[in-house]
Amino acid sequence: MNAIARRQKHKAELKTQILEAARQIFVRDGYENFSMRKLAQRIEYSPGSIYLHFKSKEELFESLVEESFERLLKVVAGIQNGHAKQDPVESLKKGLRAYVDFGLRNPNDYRFAFMLRRPVQKRPYRVHPVFGVLRHMVGRCVEEQRFRAVDVESTSQALWAAIHGITSLLIQRPTFPWVGRKELIDQVINNAVDGLAVMPGSEEKATAGVRHAQFNRVPATSTARSRS
Amino acid sequence: MNAIARRQKHKAELKTQILEAARQIFVRDGYENFSMRKLAQRIEYSPGSIYLHFKSKEELFESLVEESFERLLKVVAGIQNGHAKQDPVESLKKGLRAYVDFGLRNPNDYRFAFMLRRPVQKRPYRVHPVFGVLRHMVGRCVEEQRFRAVDVESTSQALWAAIHGITSLLIQRPTFPWVGRKELIDQVINNAVDGLAVMPGSEEKATAGVRHAQFNRVPATSTARSRS
DNA sequence: CATTCATAGTGAACACTGTTCATTATACTG
DNA sequence: CAGTATAATGAACAGTGTTCACTATGAATG
């Protein structure tokens, strides 16, 4: 019994070793230049051995991406919980920014997860926890009446579209003459979020004591562009 | 002279024949299931012959996608010019919608151009003509003071991010429980554009006679979701 | 008409790819 | 030590993009 436990342990170790090696190749050579044979060579096993742990290249990547997403989830969830008493709109913005930053810092993971691989469409779609957090944040903004009475679901999806758009474009087209990265991200986020806030002037449901969201839109400047 | 002209004509015809066949396979089997050998078989030539007309699979796709985007450009430019007297904000929205529709109708082209292939980064970046039209439209909105005095460049980029976001997400994750497609697209576009319009209540530079943009935001509904 | 000659087209070959599977090596149990 | 379950292999399969020495074709020239 002890022996089989040691077996399993070794097997698990080998599996994570494969994952680590795979990630290295994946990051260094990119998705399209990854190959099972390269990976096998790196871990000094035969190609077939990998299939003792992962039933396909696809599944191997799936595991890799899952890992990455857990990191992203931690970052985003940390913002959600950590600043429970904080302004929900500010929390939301921070979360959105964290999302974009994560994508820019881990472009390969982001590319794989959201850009190149079409998700296997088996079983009813499992809504990703990261999106769940986003929706929760939006929900809080509405509950606390910092947002107009918008539909939480569609608003969350629209926000996701906005931040995914800027993230993937910045990753995919690094040589485009973008205006400053930071400013652009801020503009996208502020534009998307501030439009949802209760507007000064219109009373709607705004309760007394609830401060109105500032409209942090970027000022008009001459078409200044900095590097990517 | 006549003979070589006939030669060239035949060559050109063959080239377009290749492109047509390639497009069929490309559309039917998708980018990743396309193969030069399939194409060769379809046009009843040997695989090597294709390389007499295109120096790589990559270049072949480039031509294909170029064609597609020219169609989009025509549509968008048509909106820009055709309705010269029309409300520039409405023109802009129409253009944005046309962009999204194009992506959803030509997912393979869109994927190739904006999602999977990072553009070759030789020579100074050639800004895509479609983006040029978008920028022009934004410029008109600002000139005619239908928009606040925002920076045209960064605003155009932010708008691009928004529509690219919703387009690529809808393409990439068709099984996600999206709220209605049309409503979501409208929400994204309206949210992004209306936030830029001169706001009712704030006078800013709004000239007399210039109607204020309506705020076409989606109403609050119960979390109704329809299929993809 | 015969000969040259550029071009079009071929098909075999190269160096890869993901994946499978019969076979062998290994390590543990009775 | 024999038996057995599992780990690992290496060859094989069917495919990929691309190249290149070669041949077929058809027009232009002597």
Side-chain angles (χ1 to χ4, degrees), chain A residues 32 108 111 113-119 121 125 127-128 131 135 148-151 153-155 157-158 160-162 164-166 168-169 171-179 184 187-188 191-192 195-196 199 215 217-225, chain B residues 30 32 108 111 113-119 121 125 127 131 135 148-151 153-155 157-158 160-162 164-166 168-169 171-179 184 187-188 191-192 195-196 199 215 217-225:
Chain A
E32 30 272 328
N108 283 300
R111 269 166 61 80
F114 284 130
M115 293 155 80
L116 17 108
R117 199 215 43 182
R118 47 171 101 253
Q121 44 208 36
Y125 194 94
V127 169
H128 200 286
F131 181 75
R135 186 167 44 194
R148 292 177 290 111
V150 292
D151 176 51
E153 186 65 27
S154 67
T155 301
Q157 292 182 10
W160 186 24
H164 167 70
I166 190 60
S168 60
L169 276 184
I171 288 173
Q172 192 73 351
R173 307 193 99 76
T175 63
F176 185 90
W178 300 110
V179 301
L184 185 57
Q187 170 152 17
V188 168
N191 244 345
L196 300 162
M199 280 182 290
F215 284 67
R217 293 198 174 99
V218 290
T221 62
S222 62
T223 355
R225 43 181 90 171
Chain B
E32 29 270 328
N108 284 301
R111 273 167 57 81
F114 288 129
M115 293 157 79
L116 15 111
R117 200 215 40 181
R118 52 169 99 250
Q121 46 207 36
Y125 192 95
V127 170
F131 180 76
R135 186 166 43 195
R148 292 177 291 110
V150 291
D151 175 51
E153 185 65 28
S154 67
T155 300
Q157 293 182 7
W160 186 25
H164 167 69
I166 190 59
S168 59
L169 277 184
I171 289 174
Q172 194 72 352
R173 308 196 98 76
T175 65
F176 185 90
W178 300 109
V179 302
L184 184 57
Q187 171 153 15
V188 168
N191 244 343
L196 299 162
M199 281 181 290
F215 284 67
R217 295 199 173 97
V218 291
T221 64
S222 62
T223 353
R225 41 181 93 173

Side-chain angles (χ1 to χ4, degrees), chain B residues 67-84:
Chain B
E67 270 184 17
S68 299
F69 272 97
E70 253 152 56
R71 294 208 306 272
L72 170 61
L73 183 59
K74 258 185 207 139
V75 173
V76 176
I79 292 170
Q80 181 193 14
N81 300 326
H83 312 64

Side-chain angles (χ1 to χ4, degrees), chain B residues 54-212:
Chain B
F54 301 92
K55 77 171 197 294
S56 71
K57 186 186 173 184
E58 188 77 8
E59 202 203 69
L60 172 56
F61 278 128
E62 212 116 1
S63 308
L64 232 39
V65 171
E66 201 69 28
E67 270 184 17
S68 299
F69 272 97
E70 253 152 56
R71 294 208 306 272
L72 170 61
L73 183 59
K74 258 185 207 139
V75 173
V76 176
I79 292 170
Q80 181 193 14
N81 300 326
H83 312 64
K85 314 187 153 187
Q86 201 187 317
D87 179 3
V89 178
E90 271 314 308
S91 286
L92 175 60
K93 285 188 182 180
K94 263 197 192 129
L96 297 176
R97 244 188 296 272
Y99 180 100
V100 178
D101 284 350
F102 171 83
L104 298 180
R105 261 197 262 280
N106 307 78
N108 284 301
D109 298 272
Y110 196 87
R111 273 167 57 81
F112 181 80
F114 288 129
M115 293 157 79
L116 15 111
R117 200 215 40 181
R118 52 169 99 250
V120 277
Q121 46 207 36
K122 50 179 182 184
R123 245 78 60 204
Y125 192 95
R126 187 179 68 94
V127 170
H128 200 288
V130 174
F131 180 76
V133 175
L134 168 60
R135 186 166 43 195
H136 182 98
M137 284 174 156
V138 173
R140 262 189 59 208
C141 289
V142 173
E143 279 167 31
E144 301 190 21
Q145 296 174 334
R146 301 296 314 278
F147 275 1
R148 292 177 291 110
V150 291
D151 175 51
V152 173
E153 185 65 28
S154 67
T155 300
S156 303
Q157 293 182 7
L159 281 178
W160 186 25
I163 56 172
H164 167 69
I166 190 59
T167 306
S168 59
L169 277 184
L170 285 173
I171 289 174
Q172 194 72 352
R173 308 196 98 76
T175 65
F176 185 90
W178 300 109
V179 302
R181 220 168 228 230
K182 201 182 164 316
E183 302 90 289
L184 184 57
I185 295 167
D186 281 347
Q187 171 153 15
V188 168
I189 292 178
N190 288 332
N191 244 343
V193 173
D194 292 341
L196 299 162
V198 288
M199 281 181 290
S202 94
E203 276 315 311
E204 220 163 316
K205 291 188 179 177
T207 331
V210 176
R211 281 188 326 141
H212 287 127

Side-chain angles (χ1 to χ4, degrees), chain A residues 15-214:
Chain A
K15 184 163 180 170
T16 69
Q17 195 201 328
I18 292 174
L19 280 170
E20 276 171 28
R23 166 153 266 135
Q24 277 180 30
I25 299 173
F26 179 44
V27 167
R28 198 157 53 76
D29 300 3
Y31 173 75
E32 30 272 328
N33 290 36
F34 176 96
S35 93
M36 294 301 253
R37 286 180 156 88
K38 264 192 202 170
L39 173 56
Q41 201 179 327
R42 193 181 193 79
I43 59 172
E44 291 175 296
Y45 279 82
S46 79
S49 296
I50 302 171
Y51 290 82
L52 276 297
H53 303 87
F54 301 93
K55 74 173 199 291
S56 70
K57 185 185 172 184
E58 189 76 10
E59 203 203 67
L60 170 56
F61 278 125
E62 212 115 2
S63 307
L64 235 37
V65 169
E66 205 66 30
E67 273 183 13
S68 300
F69 265 117
E70 258 151 51
R71 294 210 303 272
L72 171 61
L73 181 60
K74 255 183 210 142
V75 173
V76 176
I79 290 169
Q80 181 193 13
N81 301 326
H83 312 64
K85 316 188 149 184
Q86 202 186 318
D87 180 3
V89 177
E90 272 315 306
S91 285
L92 175 61
K93 284 188 182 180
K94 265 198 191 124
L96 298 176
R97 246 187 294 271
Y99 180 101
V100 177
D101 284 350
F102 177 86
L104 297 180
R105 263 196 261 281
N106 307 77
N108 283 300
D109 300 305
Y110 196 86
R111 269 166 61 80
F112 184 79
F114 284 130
M115 293 155 80
L116 17 108
R117 199 215 43 182
R118 47 171 101 253
V120 277
Q121 44 208 36
K122 50 178 182 185
R123 244 76 64 205
Y125 194 94
R126 184 179 67 95
V127 169
H128 200 286
V130 172
F131 181 75
V133 174
L134 169 60
R135 186 167 44 194
H136 181 97
M137 285 174 156
V138 172
R140 262 189 58 208
C141 289
V142 173
E143 281 167 29
E144 300 189 21
Q145 297 174 331
R146 301 296 314 278
F147 275 0
R148 292 177 290 111
V150 292
D151 176 51
V152 173
E153 186 65 27
S154 67
T155 301
S156 303
Q157 292 182 10
L159 281 179
W160 186 24
I163 56 173
H164 167 70
I166 190 60
T167 306
S168 60
L169 276 184
L170 284 174
I171 288 173
Q172 192 73 351
R173 307 193 99 76
T175 63
F176 185 90
W178 300 110
V179 301
R181 221 167 226 229
K182 202 182 162 317
E183 301 91 288
L184 185 57
I185 295 167
D186 281 347
Q187 170 152 17
V188 168
I189 292 177
N190 288 333
N191 244 345
V193 173
D194 291 340
L196 300 162
V198 289
M199 280 182 290
S202 97
E203 273 317 310
E204 218 163 317
K205 290 189 178 179
T207 332
V210 176
R211 283 189 324 144
H212 287 127
Q214 328 84 302

